[in-house]
């Protein structure tokens, strides 16, 4: 899932909308934009370790750590319902646009094209949420404006054992690619996607063609997104009840 979907799910599961919870629910995807400093194994795939560190060292940031746990596919957090090969909606529905994605990057279908296709499905769901639930984007914007990024960076630096300035820089880099301002227009989201694709697979692609694939993803998900997100929320309420 992408930021708006994660925020929607985490706030529905917990029935609260704290700024730390909102930011924590998108934070693990910092590994998307961090080329070397913060890998997936450190936060995205280690939510319990981060949670335990915060409980012990920075309990005032507990909602941040809770958001991270709700994000990760570990213990069947939100990404499980998007990314799992068998039940993840973005992987299942992504197969429907995999040929277009393969053509977009000029390659044969492969594990890479399915991953990229699933990202398009996720982006399509976020666009639908922005259109029908604009309050989610407003909550994201408000949360980023009100959290203390310096305090969060200090905590994460201690957990990751790297310099606070590096962490602070990586957070701001992530927000420049996937922060609330990127969602203000579909054009800005497309531009961000173009840069991320070039960074991840080393190829420049047509923005016009990317928009066409993204709109196809929206078309596929417009009547399905509620079912998939509500299913994730229902199951997560059980799994994270404690």
């Amino acid at each position: 899932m992408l930021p708006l979907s994660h925020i929607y799910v985490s706030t529905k599961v917990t029935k609260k909308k704290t700024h730390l919870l909102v930011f924590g629910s998108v934070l693990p995807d910092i590994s998307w934009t961090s080329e070397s400093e913060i890998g997936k194994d450190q936060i995205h795939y280690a939510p319990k370790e981060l949670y335990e560190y915060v409980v012990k060292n920075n309990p005032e940031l507990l909602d941040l750590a809770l958001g991270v746990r709700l994000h990760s596919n570990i213990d069947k957090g939100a990404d499980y319902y998007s990314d799992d090969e068998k039940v993840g909606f973005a992987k299942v529905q992504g197969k429907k646009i995999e040929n277009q994605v393969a053509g977009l990057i000029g390659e044969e279908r492969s594990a890479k094209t399915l991953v990229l296709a699933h990202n398009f499905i996720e982006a399509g769901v976020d666009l639908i949420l922005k259109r029908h639930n604009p309050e989610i984007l407003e909550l994201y914007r408000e949360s980023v404006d009100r959290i203390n990024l310096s305090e969060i960076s200090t905590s994460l630096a201690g957990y990751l054992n790297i310099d606070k300035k590096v962490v602070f820089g990586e957070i701001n880099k992530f927000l420049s690619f996937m922060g609330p301002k990127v969602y203000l227009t579909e054009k800005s989201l497309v531009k961000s996607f173009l840069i991320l694709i070039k960074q991840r697979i080393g190829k420049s692609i047509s923005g016009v063609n990317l928009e066409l694939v993204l709109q196809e993803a929206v078309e596929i998900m417009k009547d399905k997104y509620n079912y998939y997100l509500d299913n994730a929320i229902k199951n997560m309420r059980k799994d994270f009840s404690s």
Side-chain angles (χ1 to χ4, degrees):
M1 296 186 194
L2 295 190
L4 300 189
S5 297
H6 275 295
I7 293 168
Y8 180 81
V9 170
S10 66
T11 54
K12 293 286 186 179
V13 169
T14 60
K15 299 181 181 180
K16 61 181 181 178
K17 300 178 180 180
T18 70
H19 300 135
L20 284 171
L21 175 74
V22 168
F23 188 65
S25 71
V26 305
L27 178 62
D29 282 338
I30 192 173
S31 59
W32 266 39
T33 55
S34 178
E35 294 183 53
S36 60
E37 296 292 350
I38 303 176
K40 277 200 167 187
D41 289 344
Q42 296 170 290
I43 296 178
H44 199 293
Y45 294 150
K48 286 184 178 179
E49 290 82 350
L50 175 61
Y51 188 87
E52 289 168 1
Y53 177 88
V54 169
V55 168
K56 182 178 179 180
N57 297 279
N58 306 104
E60 68 280 6
L61 299 178
L62 195 59
D63 272 1
L64 179 85
L66 175 59
V68 170
R69 288 195 67 182
L70 293 170
H71 175 117
S72 177
N73 56 334
I74 304 298
D75 295 329
K76 295 186 176 180
D79 270 354
Y80 171 80
Y81 297 95
S82 177
D83 299 354
D84 183 77
E85 296 291 340
K86 293 182 179 180
V87 303
F89 70 79
K91 285 287 178 70
V92 172
Q93 300 296 330
K95 293 176 182 177
K96 297 178 180 179
I97 56 170
E98 195 176 355
N99 284 334
Q100 294 99 306
V101 170
L104 188 67
I105 64 174
E107 296 186 10
E108 296 295 319
R109 288 175 59 152
S110 65
K112 182 197 294 185
T113 59
L114 180 56
V115 168
L116 193 54
H118 117 280
N119 291 146
F120 274 93
I121 294 293
E122 292 177 324
V125 172
D126 264 29
L127 284 179
I128 297 168
L129 282 173
K130 181 198 170 186
R131 294 169 186 173
H132 296 293
N133 302 80
E135 70 278 3
I136 302 172
L137 178 56
E138 177 58 24
L139 178 60
Y140 189 19
R141 183 201 62 77
E142 182 181 286
S143 297
V144 170
D145 285 347
R146 295 193 181 185
I147 55 174
N148 187 330
L149 287 180
S150 177
E151 180 183 26
I152 292 170
S153 298
T154 298
S155 179
L156 291 177
Y159 167 70
L160 297 166
N161 195 29
I162 59 178
D163 189 86
K164 173 187 173 180
K165 290 182 180 179
V166 172
V167 177
F168 189 78
E170 292 288 6
I171 290 175
N172 280 290
K173 182 180 179 182
F174 167 71
L175 290 173
S176 72
F177 280 107
M178 296 305 296
K181 290 182 180 179
V182 174
Y183 280 89
L184 291 178
T185 67
E186 291 188 15
K187 292 287 186 185
S188 59
L189 184 62
V190 167
K191 181 180 179 181
S192 184
F193 244 64
L194 288 170
I195 296 171
L196 284 171
I197 289 172
K198 185 174 183 180
Q199 178 178 304
R200 291 172 68 182
I201 66 175
K203 292 188 177 183
S204 297
I205 60 176
S206 162
V208 173
N209 291 341
L210 186 148
E211 284 189 71
L212 291 174
V213 179
L214 186 55
Q215 289 307 317
E216 179 64 20
V218 170
E219 189 66 22
I220 289 170
M221 296 305 295
K222 67 180 183 180
D223 296 322
K224 301 182 179 75
Y225 80 101
N226 264 327
Y227 167 78
Y228 284 120
L229 294 182
D230 288 348
N231 179 63
I233 292 163
K234 179 183 69 174
N235 287 296
M236 287 172 63
R237 281 178 176 164
K238 296 176 185 176
D239 292 336
F240 291 90
S241 59
S242 61

